[in-house]
Amino acid sequence: MALLGRLLPLALALALGPAATPAGPARSPYQLVLQHSRLRGRQHGPNVCAVQKLIGTNKKYFTNCKQWYQRKICGKSTVISYECCPGYEKVPGEKGCPAALPLSNLYETLGVVGATTTQLYTDRTEKLRPEMEGPGSFTIFAPSNEAWSSLPAEVLDSLVSNVNIELLNALRYHMVDRRVLTDELKHGMALTSMYQNSNIQIHHYPNGIVTVNCARLLKADHHATNGVVHLIDKVISTVTNNIQQIIEIEDTFETLRAAVAASGLNTLLEGDGQYTLLAPTNEAFEKIPAETLNRILGDPEALRDLLNNHILKSAMCAEAIVAGLSLETLEGTTLEVGCSGDMLTINGKPIISNKDVLATNGVIHFIDELLIPDSAKTLFELAADSDVSTAIDLFRQAGLSSHLSGNERLTLLAPMNSVFKDGTPPINAQTKNLLLNHMIKDQLASKYLYHGQTLDTLGGKKLRVFVYRNSLCIENSCIAAHDKRGRYGTLFSMDRVLTPPVGTVMDVLKGDNRFSMLVAAIQSAGLTETLNREGVYTVFAPTNEAFQALPRGELNKLMGNAKELANILKYHVGDEILVSGGIGALVRLKSLQGDKLEVSSKNNMVSVNKEPVAEVDIMATNGVVHAISSVLQPPANRPQERGDELADSALEIFKQASAFSRATQSSVKLAPVYQRLLERMRH
């Protein structure tokens, strides 16, 4: 086995060729993607790479595993083609690409990789071709032919009309005076170019894409006798301004400029680092209601949160995004950055109007829609993006809007829209008081709530927190979605209307005519004091119909035996509070009688010992009441279970007697006796 473990890496290396040998330092993301492309292409011969090509374009990508199976780039379909991996070429009559490309100087290598326009412009300058053909060690990031042809006509004209200054300088900016391979191209690094020592920004992304000033490497690591050539998809230009300076000079950032100054973020945006600014244009600010915009601009904390929500923690060039990515902002939120064809999307919306404006400390994408984080929103604004609009309308109709739009620290327990599928309650004093009890007098986070905690409401009630294995509940209502934490308030989406407790369990039972016979039984059994005192009880309360369904003789006998009556009633009382939302599939709840109740929930129907519960979650200060339509029998009162219990006891006696017989080497044959006893007990 050990030998096999040593041979497998060697076999893999031989199958993949020298470029895939696993020895040496850890591979870069680009090299890993190239290795995967080589794996997918090996059936076509040595040194063949699988390449994904966007249908209808000349864009090609070395594929990773996910893209291989999805066959899509930015949501657009691709076709797989097979071509020689970088550094190799075909040989007539042989399979694959068995031959390494011959080494030549940089100038000739430009032609080999297909950068013939770069080669042509190099030839036009007086100084650069001799340098590329002569001794030395250089790296050139060579624009593809398509990159040159896509330049605006006026830009290209200005370059070719002054070849020994403008064109020469432009080409020198694409060069570094040493050999730099992709394994040295680290994310966020800067290389010193051969034009006035200006920096070239390198980004090497986890998906294997490498960018140079946001231009994508198409073919990398083509060795030459005097350096290396990397083919890129754009003509790059020098970068001189930081993010803050670009904000200062762009007319479309007038409102953003004022917001950054007011927030004090200009220091960050003009300092060192590598950020992505999703820069809202004037148009983006104009789309926001004036009241909301003025509130945020006048609140330094909300304003800072707003702007931080537009700044990603690293530089993200558009070319690096080939599928959806979750990227964290300085605010701590997560934005879904994706693409659809040539358009970038934020949270699924194509709101980026101008992309890849490069700065010395990052990259800017212009956006036409403001990204307001929850932390800058009022409760009203939080609810606009949640499934609680019906509840919010009730709060508004009840005259409670000021609590949801002001600077009061609150937690709103808002029932989801589905709760009101049968209609909403009329707005009156009782409803208003109920809604006030859905407002907690503090801004909470559900992750800090604990079992048994009490919460004060604006309506004057104290609400209890119940923590179960798969749910977190406040009284009878459980949290149904993640918190939304706003500027002053937090929104909890709840799975039902909350009903605060109105008295003890005994008070609840006495106040409901359905339980008059149960109340009489409790009093006869001497359990009134128990159900009136402080505690945590779950009562499965048989209705009058449940008692009346018992045979008359059995009912009279039960009511006449206080001890037996107390035993049965205690079996209906659990020793902890279990609301319906905390049940899950099955919960075994210990009763005051000692035996366990089996409480289950399926399709929103609750059962106890497989008997359906008629009404759930009647809340009391010391517990919860669930109405049931039958009287539950403890296990000891069930004939079959009594027989099983006796049989189990007899079996235990038999085991002990057999053990004694073996230990004493007794010749007494005990087994037949106990076997006959077991048969009688079980049958």
Side-chain angles (χ1 to χ4, degrees):
M1 184 62 72
L3 178 61
L4 180 61
R6 291 195 299 270
L7 289 175
L8 279 176
L10 179 59
L12 179 63
L14 290 172
L16 297 179
T21 304
R27 293 178 176 276
S28 68
Y30 170 81
Q31 290 169 327
L32 289 173
V33 169
L34 183 61
Q35 179 184 359
H36 180 266
S37 293
R38 184 186 287 269
L39 274 169
R40 297 297 182 182
R42 63 183 175 179
Q43 62 185 354
H44 294 273
N47 306 313
V48 174
C49 284
V51 177
Q52 281 192 293
K53 181 181 177 182
L54 275 174
I55 295 175
T57 74
N58 288 321
K59 283 191 172 184
K60 295 180 180 180
Y61 295 81
F62 291 122
T63 181
N64 61 29
C65 188
K66 185 176 181 180
Q67 292 162 355
W68 174 265
Y69 287 109
Q70 290 183 342
R71 295 289 200 273
K72 288 182 182 297
I73 300 289
C74 285
K76 301 299 182 181
S77 297
T78 63
V79 292
I80 302 295
S81 61
Y82 298 91
E83 58 186 47
C84 291
C85 297
Y88 295 90
E89 66 179 350
K90 291 180 176 295
V91 174
E94 295 193 32
K95 186 177 181 181
C97 305
L101 286 171
L103 279 182
S104 54
N105 60 50
L106 281 176
Y107 177 79
E108 292 178 358
T109 303
L110 289 174
V112 171
V113 301
T116 53
T117 305
T118 302
Q119 190 181 44
L120 172 66
Y121 289 151
T122 299
D123 206 16
R124 287 191 183 183
T125 65
E126 294 179 359
K127 299 179 181 179
L128 200 52
R129 178 172 177 176
E131 197 168 357
M132 285 191 178
E133 291 179 327
S137 181
F138 306 101
T139 296
I140 180 167
F141 297 101
S144 66
N145 295 343
E146 291 81 3
W148 287 106
S149 63
S150 64
L151 280 179
E154 63 274 13
V155 173
L156 190 57
D157 287 344
S158 69
L159 292 174
V160 298
S161 63
N162 194 346
V163 292
N164 288 316
I165 297 179
E166 296 295 337
L167 184 58
L168 176 63
N169 290 340
L171 289 172
R172 282 188 174 276
Y173 182 63
H174 289 73
M175 297 179 67
V176 178
D177 63 356
R178 63 186 179 89
R179 181 184 283 104
V180 185
L181 301 175
T182 51
D183 60 355
E184 192 182 339
L185 297 177
K186 306 299 183 184
H187 190 70
M189 75 180 297
L191 294 175
T192 302
S193 78
M194 291 174 61
Y195 170 67
Q196 296 183 352
N197 293 327
S198 299
N199 281 341
I200 302 173
Q201 293 184 16
I202 304 297
H203 293 98
H204 196 148
Y205 297 95
N207 61 6
I209 289 178
V210 180
T211 61
V212 182
N213 281 16
C214 285
R216 180 168 66 93
L217 258 67
L218 303 177
K219 295 180 180 179
D221 295 340
H222 284 274
H223 291 271
T225 55
N226 56 347
V228 63
V229 176
H230 304 292
L231 190 69
I232 60 177
D233 72 345
K234 292 184 182 70
V235 177
I236 61 174
S237 56
T238 55
V239 180
T240 56
N241 291 327
N242 59 47
I243 292 175
Q244 178 62 30
Q245 289 170 327
I246 294 173
I247 292 174
E248 294 288 345
I249 61 178
E250 283 284 346
D251 291 338
T252 190
F253 292 150
E254 182 180 356
T255 308
L256 175 62
R257 188 158 53 243
V260 169
S263 70
L265 279 175
N266 49 328
T267 303
L268 173 78
L269 297 179
E270 65 189 10
D272 294 334
Q274 285 290 306
Y275 303 105
T276 299
L277 175 64
L278 303 171
T281 61
N282 295 336
E283 179 187 351
F285 283 99
E286 290 165 2
K287 292 179 180 178
I288 302 300
E291 181 182 354
T292 299
L293 182 58
N294 291 334
R295 175 184 62 78
I296 294 175
L297 293 177
D299 181 344
E301 186 172 334
L303 178 58
R304 193 173 184 88
D305 287 350
L306 171 70
L307 295 177
N308 279 337
N309 199 51
H310 290 75
I311 304 173
L312 303 180
K313 288 184 172 182
S314 62
M316 182 58 65
C317 296
E319 284 294 337
I321 300 169
V322 295
L325 295 171
S326 295
L327 300 175
E328 190 176 359
T329 69
L330 291 187
E331 168 59 14
T333 58
T334 298
L335 298 179
E336 295 298 324
V337 181
C339 53
S340 178
D342 291 331
M343 295 185 299
L344 284 187
T345 61
I346 305 294
N347 294 337
K349 299 180 180 179
I351 59 175
I352 294 180
S353 56
N354 189 10
K355 58 190 178 184
D356 287 347
V357 177
L358 208 61
T360 57
N361 56 349
V363 61
I364 300 176
H365 305 298
F366 295 28
I367 62 172
D368 293 333
E369 190 172 302
L370 213 56
L371 306 171
I372 304 178
D374 287 349
S375 58
K377 293 179 180 179
T378 65
L379 281 168
F380 264 139
E381 292 161 354
L382 288 176
D385 299 325
S386 304
D387 188 25
V388 294
S389 56
T390 304
I392 296 303
D393 284 340
L394 288 175
F395 283 103
R396 188 182 287 110
Q397 294 170 31
L400 301 174
S401 297
S402 61
H403 295 292
L404 306 185
S405 57
N407 56 7
E408 193 175 1
R409 295 285 181 185
L410 291 175
T411 298
L412 181 66
L413 311 178
M416 300 181 72
N417 291 342
S418 58
V419 174
F420 302 103
K421 62 180 182 297
D422 296 326
T424 57
I427 301 300
N428 51 36
Q430 183 179 359
T431 302
K432 182 175 181 178
N433 190 57
L434 177 64
L435 293 174
L436 285 169
N437 285 319
H438 282 72
M439 296 182 182
I440 308 298
K441 289 182 177 180
D442 196 5
Q443 187 175 15
L444 304 174
S446 62
K447 63 184 177 182
Y448 295 120
L449 297 180
Y450 57 89
H451 192 75
Q453 184 178 3
T454 57
L455 310 173
D456 294 319
T457 72
L458 293 186
K461 293 289 186 180
K462 287 188 178 296
L463 306 179
R464 296 158 297 181
V465 176
F466 306 122
V467 179
Y468 301 105
R469 183 174 297 278
N470 295 311
S471 53
L472 177 60
C473 305
I474 300 173
E475 294 298 335
N476 62 304
S477 186
C478 301
I479 298 175
H482 292 298
D483 309 3
K484 283 185 170 289
R485 186 176 178 86
R487 177 66 178 91
Y488 295 103
T490 297
L491 176 69
F492 289 174
S493 297
M494 311 301 290
D495 68 352
R496 64 196 66 199
V497 174
L498 184 144
T499 55
V502 293
T504 66
V505 166
M506 206 61 203
D507 293 332
V508 169
L509 296 175
K510 285 181 177 179
D512 192 327
N513 291 332
R514 293 177 298 171
F515 304 121
S516 58
M517 293 184 71
L518 175 60
V519 169
I522 290 171
Q523 292 170 339
S524 297
L527 296 176
T528 303
E529 183 181 347
T530 299
L531 298 181
N532 262 328
R533 67 186 178 210
E534 287 187 11
V536 286
Y537 305 117
T538 296
V539 179
F540 293 96
T543 61
N544 294 342
E545 288 78 5
F547 282 102
Q548 291 165 357
L550 292 174
R552 178 58 62 90
E554 185 178 333
L555 179 59
N556 291 338
K557 181 181 177 182
L558 179 63
M559 297 301 289
N561 186 336
K563 184 177 180 180
E564 180 65 17
L565 180 61
N567 186 62
I568 287 182
L569 292 178
K570 285 181 179 179
Y571 184 63
H572 288 73
V573 183
D575 64 356
E576 60 181 283
I577 296 177
L578 181 62
V579 299
S580 61
I583 293 171
L586 177 67
V587 174
R588 301 188 74 223
L589 180 65
K590 186 178 180 182
S591 71
L592 297 187
Q593 177 261 357
D595 289 312
K596 291 188 176 180
L597 298 158
E598 292 192 351
V599 189
S600 60
S601 178
K602 186 176 182 180
N603 299 327
N604 295 321
M605 293 295 296
V606 176
S607 300
V608 55
N609 292 354
K610 299 183 180 179
E611 297 290 339
V613 174
E615 182 181 348
V616 298
D617 299 337
I618 308 170
M619 303 309 296
T621 55
N622 59 344
V624 61
V625 175
H626 304 298
I628 58 176
S629 301
S630 59
V631 177
L632 305 175
Q633 296 295 327
N637 287 16
R638 302 174 201 162
Q640 179 62 40
E641 294 193 17
R642 284 202 302 272
D644 288 345
E645 191 176 303
L646 289 171
D648 290 340
S649 298
L651 181 60
E652 184 61 30
I653 294 170
F654 167 66
K655 288 179 180 177
Q656 293 177 8
S658 298
F660 173 78
S661 176
R662 288 194 300 272
T664 59
Q665 296 183 347
S666 171
S667 60
V668 179
K669 295 183 178 179
L670 298 174
V673 178
Y674 286 102
Q675 284 175 344
R676 287 196 297 273
L677 174 61
L678 282 172
E679 289 297 321
R680 287 199 299 270
M681 298 295 257
R682 290 199 182 279
H683 296 97

